[in-house]
Each structure stands twice: as structure tokens, then as C-alpha cells.
């Protein structure tokens, strides 16, 4: 009996030690992660100031305020303007991600009705859907429990995901927003499309910032490759999880969970 007691004591000590080691490692991860997001934040701010000035000068030149420019020069100045806009979109995206990741964006959590939200998004996105001839289906049961989320941030999630779905779904396709309870605590939401899909190889890289699949759509339409990173951070800030499943040439589903009210 005594032997057994000693063995148990030893095991408990070991568990305690391992738990301490683990929590020390976790603390270190938190410190490093905060340093990373402080760094991104500082860099983004530093980049923004000179960029604003570049854009300011380019606009003055483009507007002909210093005299009419020769056509060739005007074309170049317009390019500077356009690329400055792209860069500023990138910097703002990075700032957004680092702010959310480091908890500097306050999440105003409130009870939200997903059916309501999806229907008003359907109204708002009706014109681009119609332009592209894609059908929009809301598959959310009435009486689904409300979720606990920040309205503005959740709208950003939907607009990003549905915006992508419209972009990557050829005419005649269908986009579905569905929601179901997963268990007592969480609701699962899915944004699916019947679009071009993503290969297994590219799917693995989609978690990385700035990654955009090399395809015909992306060659024509500009993007930052930061939208999905932002979506993932927003969902994680709500204690939810984000996942993607896709089949090349068949379509994709972007799923996330949110806590019930
Ligand atoms: P962006 O749209 O600015 O390129 P995102 O982070 O939103 O950035 O998306 C990253 C990449 O993921 C896209 O460039 C595209 O290659 C792929 N992607 C996103 N949504 C879809 C979708 N619904 N169908 C197919 N590919 C998608």
C-alpha cells in the first residue's frame, strides 16, 4: 500500500512540474506574440506617414495644380496614385489585424440574430449578386438561438466571406449562408459557394498572410490577401474557430463558430 502511495505522490509531483513548465511556456508565447503585434503596429504606423505624403504630392501633380503634365507623365503619376492606394489598403489591413490580435479592438458583445443579419446582408449585396448572376440562399432556421458577438465585426466577417464568394463564383452559381447549433454552447455558420474552389496544395497556404491563389480571377482583380487572416482573427477574438474546406472546380465552404448568447 505504501509503495502505491509513493508512486502516486511521485506521479502527482511530475504532473505539477509539467503543468508549471507548460504555463511558463504559454506565458512566453504570449509575450512573443505581443511583441510581434506591437512590431507590426509600429511598422504600419511608420509606413503610413511617408505614404500619405507621397500620395499628397502625386495628387497635386495629377490634378495639374503645378501646370498641365505631358500625357506620359500624367500616366505615371496616376500609377503612383493607384499603387499608393493599394499600399495604404495593405497597411490598414495589417493595422486592423494587429489591433484585433492584441486585443486593442474592444469587442462590443451583444445578442445578435443571424437570420436577421443574413437577410439585411442579402438586401445590401443584391446588386452585385444580380450583376454577376449568382443566386443567394439563406439557410438559417427561424428561432435559432442568438449569438454573442460584436455587430460591426461580424458584419465585416460576412462581407469579406460573401464578397470573396461573389468574386470567385462564375455566373449561374450559388452562394449559401447557413447556420446551425453545434452543441449547447456554440452555433456554426457556413458561407458556401459553387465557385472555382481551392486545390489541396493552396488550401494549406491559405492561413498565411498575403497568400493569394495564382489563378485567372486574382490576375484580374486586385486584393490584399489579408481578408481571410482578418476574418480568422475576428472569430478567434470571439472565442470561436474558423475553418475552410474546398474542392477545386466545385466550390468552397468557409465555416466558423460563435458562442450562443
Ligand atoms: P483577397 O481576396 O484580397 O485576395 P483573402 O484573404 O480574402 O484575400 O483571400 C485569399 C485568397 O483565398 C484569395 O486570393 C483566393 O485565392 C482564395 N479565396 C478566398 N475565398 C475564396 C472562394 N470563395 N473561392 C475560391 N478561392 C477563394
Amino acid at each position: 500500500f505504501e509503495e502505491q502511495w509513493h508512486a502516486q505522490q511521485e506521479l502527482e509531483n511530475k504532473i505539477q512540474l509539467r503543468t508549471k513548465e507548460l504555463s511558463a511556456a504559454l506565458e512566453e508565447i504570449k509575450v512573443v506574440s505581443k511583441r510581434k503585434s506591437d512590431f507590426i503596429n509600429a511598422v504600419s504606423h511608420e509606413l503610413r506617414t511617408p505614404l500619405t505624403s507621397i500620395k499628397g504630392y502625386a495628387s497635386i501633380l495629377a490634378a495639374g495644380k503645378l501646370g498641365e503634365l505631358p500625357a506620359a507623365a500624367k500616366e505615371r503619376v496616376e500609377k503612383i496614385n493607384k499603387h499608393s492606394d493599394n499600399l495604404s489598403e495593405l497597411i490598414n489591413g495589417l493595422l486592423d489585424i494587429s489591433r484585433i490580435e492584441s486585443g486593442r479592438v474592444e469587442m462590443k458583445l451583444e445578442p445578435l440574430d443571424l437570420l436577421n443579419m443574413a437577410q439585411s446582408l442579402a438586401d445590401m449585396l443584391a446588386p452585385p449578386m444580380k450583376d454577376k448572376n449568382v443566386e443567394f440562399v439563406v439557410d438559417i432556421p427561424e428561432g435559432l438561438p442568438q449569438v454573442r458577438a460584436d455587430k460591426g465585426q461580424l458584419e465585416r466577417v460576412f462581407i469579406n466571406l460573401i464578397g470573396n464568394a461573389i468574386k470567385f463564383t462564375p455566373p449561374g452559381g450559388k452562394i449559401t449562408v447557413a447556420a446551425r447549433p453545434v452543441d449547447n454552447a456554440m452555433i456554426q455558420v457556413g458561407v458556401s459557394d459553387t465557385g472555382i474552389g481551392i486545390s489541396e496544395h493552396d488550401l494549406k497556404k491559405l492561413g498565411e498572410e498575403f497568400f493569394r491563389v495564382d489563378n485567372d480571377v486574382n490576375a484580374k482583380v486586385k486584393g490584399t490577401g489579408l481578408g481571410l487572416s482578418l476574418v480568422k482573427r475576428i472569430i478567434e477574438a470571439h472565442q470561436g474557430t474558423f475553418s475552410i474546406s474546398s474542392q477545386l472546380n466545385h466550390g468552397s465552404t468557409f465555416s466558423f463558430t460563435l458562442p450562443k448568447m
Side-chain angles (χ1 to χ4, degrees):
F1 176 72
E2 201 168 309
E3 221 168 76
Q4 213 176 357
W5 187 81
H6 274 297
Q8 193 173 337
Q9 279 294 312
E10 211 168 291
L11 200 67
E12 273 173 21
N13 285 344
K14 266 190 192 158
I15 291 175
Q16 240 176 26
L17 197 73
R18 288 281 177 278
T19 315
K20 260 195 199 151
E21 283 171 1
L22 259 180
S23 68
L26 258 177
E27 271 314 303
E28 207 175 311
I29 290 174
K30 273 190 201 155
V31 171
V32 173
S33 152
K34 180 168 184 310
R35 227 178 273 153
K36 186 195 85 178
S37 72
D38 286 350
F39 175 72
I40 293 178
N41 193 51
V43 169
S44 311
H45 275 294
E46 289 300 319
L47 290 174
R48 211 151 61 160
T49 316
L51 182 61
T52 310
S53 131
I54 292 173
K55 207 173 146 41
Y57 287 125
S59 305
I60 291 172
L61 287 173
K65 287 186 186 156
L66 301 177
E68 211 38 53
L69 293 180
K74 207 167 176 185
E75 197 186 305
R76 264 57 162 205
V77 168
E78 269 154 20
K79 279 205 172 123
I80 296 178
N81 239 335
K82 196 183 109 213
H83 289 295
S84 305
D85 283 342
N86 294 351
L87 199 52
S88 121
E89 204 180 309
L90 258 178
I91 294 173
N92 288 336
L94 274 175
L95 268 174
D96 269 347
I97 289 176
S98 88
R99 279 196 197 118
I100 290 173
E101 200 175 48
S102 63
R104 263 172 293 152
V105 174
E106 193 201 342
M107 296 286 159
K108 293 184 200 75
L109 300 178
E110 56 175 317
L112 295 174
D113 185 292
L114 286 171
L115 181 57
N116 237 330
M117 199 176 222
Q119 273 160 351
S120 39
L121 282 165
D123 289 341
M124 190 178 99
L125 294 168
M129 304 256 187
K130 198 165 167 232
D131 278 354
K132 189 135 187 216
N133 182 29
V134 286
E135 187 192 351
F136 188 61
V137 178
V138 176
D139 172 20
I140 300 177
E142 254 178 71
L144 183 81
Q146 289 176 312
V147 293
R148 207 168 113 82
D150 180 300
K151 187 162 187 270
Q153 298 295 346
L154 186 55
E155 272 168 1
R156 281 175 101 183
V157 166
F158 275 120
I159 289 173
N160 255 296
L161 295 180
I162 301 172
N164 276 346
I166 299 174
K167 193 154 115 184
F168 297 104
T169 303
K174 187 167 105 176
I175 297 167
T176 310
V177 174
R180 299 281 183 279
V182 207
D183 53 31
N184 279 336
M186 306 297 276
I187 303 276
Q188 173 149 21
V189 185
V191 177
S192 314
D193 64 58
T194 57
I196 61 172
I198 304 158
S199 73
E200 223 172 292
H201 174 260
D202 288 330
L203 204 52
K204 284 195 196 120
K205 296 194 172 173
L206 260 195
E208 296 168 16
E209 273 85 28
F210 308 117
F211 180 73
R212 305 179 71 219
V213 179
D214 187 6
N215 58 32
D216 293 351
V217 181
N218 274 341
K220 281 187 216 121
V221 192
K222 79 176 181 73
T224 59
L226 286 177
L228 292 178
S229 302
L230 184 68
V231 164
K232 186 163 179 273
R233 299 304 194 292
I234 295 176
I235 296 303
E236 285 170 355
H238 285 85
Q239 270 69 53
T241 54
F242 177 66
S243 62
I244 311 171
S245 66
S246 186
Q247 237 191 323
L248 193 61
N249 302 324
H250 285 92
S252 316
T253 299
F254 296 77
S255 310
F256 58 89
T257 59
L258 285 172
K260 275 187 196 170
M261 195 53 218

